[in-house]
Amino acid sequence: MFDMIGIVVADMDKALNFYRLFDLDLPSDAGGENHVETTLPNGMRLAWDSQSLIKSLHEHWEEPRGHRMNMAFKCASPAAVDELYAKILAAGYAGSKEPWDAFWGQRYAVVVDPDGNLVDLFAPLD
């Protein structure tokens, strides 16, 4: 059974500060931790591992280049997509694509986490 998504991060504090903007239940004092995880309401776990931890487990690990996968967060409404996008930018993080009404029937936007991962925000238009 698929149970967890793991994200490798260069700076744990920067990563967790970004993901706290999504109202995830994350510890406020995780500085210096090599592994942090939370359980989402649907039971799936989301975890963050430091690059140093990953390098200690996988001696040939190399930092990836390019975008190989991304995550999408469902928002409560189209207006909530716009609000979260604005909140993330106001916190000093980058947007990749401003909110728009996608042809597939969703309000959609894309932001960038501190490690360069694309994170989608979406909500059904109706």
Side-chain angles (χ1 to χ4, degrees):
M1 170 176 38
F2 187 50
D3 179 69
M4 185 177 80
I5 296 171
I7 305 169
V8 179
V9 301
D11 184 309
M12 187 67 74
D13 285 331
K14 285 182 181 178
L16 295 180
N17 285 337
F18 175 83
Y19 285 99
R20 281 188 191 98
L21 295 170
F22 295 85
D23 294 326
L24 296 175
D25 183 23
L26 296 170
S28 60
D29 59 347
E33 295 291 328
N34 283 314
H35 176 85
V36 175
E37 66 181 64
T38 189
T39 301
L40 305 173
N42 65 2
M44 176 74 69
R45 292 181 302 145
L46 186 55
W48 296 263
D49 291 311
S50 68
Q51 287 183 351
S52 60
L53 174 63
I54 296 302
K55 288 177 183 178
S56 74
L57 299 173
H58 307 283
E59 66 182 86
H60 300 294
W61 183 84
E62 294 181 21
E63 188 171 354
R65 296 178 53 133
H67 302 286
R68 290 176 178 79
M69 61 179 271
N70 66 314
M71 293 186 296
F73 284 83
K74 185 177 182 182
C75 299
S77 68
V81 171
D82 294 3
E83 291 165 10
L84 182 54
Y85 183 86
K87 179 180 172 182
I88 290 168
L89 268 59
Y93 300 100
S96 176
K97 187 160 177 74
E98 292 183 5
W100 84 99
D101 292 342
F103 67 87
W104 56 84
Q106 294 176 329
R107 184 72 173 163
Y108 223 88
V110 183
V111 294
V112 183
D113 83 359
D115 291 286
N117 298 306
L118 298 178
V119 179
D120 298 352
L121 316 174
F122 73 97
L125 285 171
D126 48 27

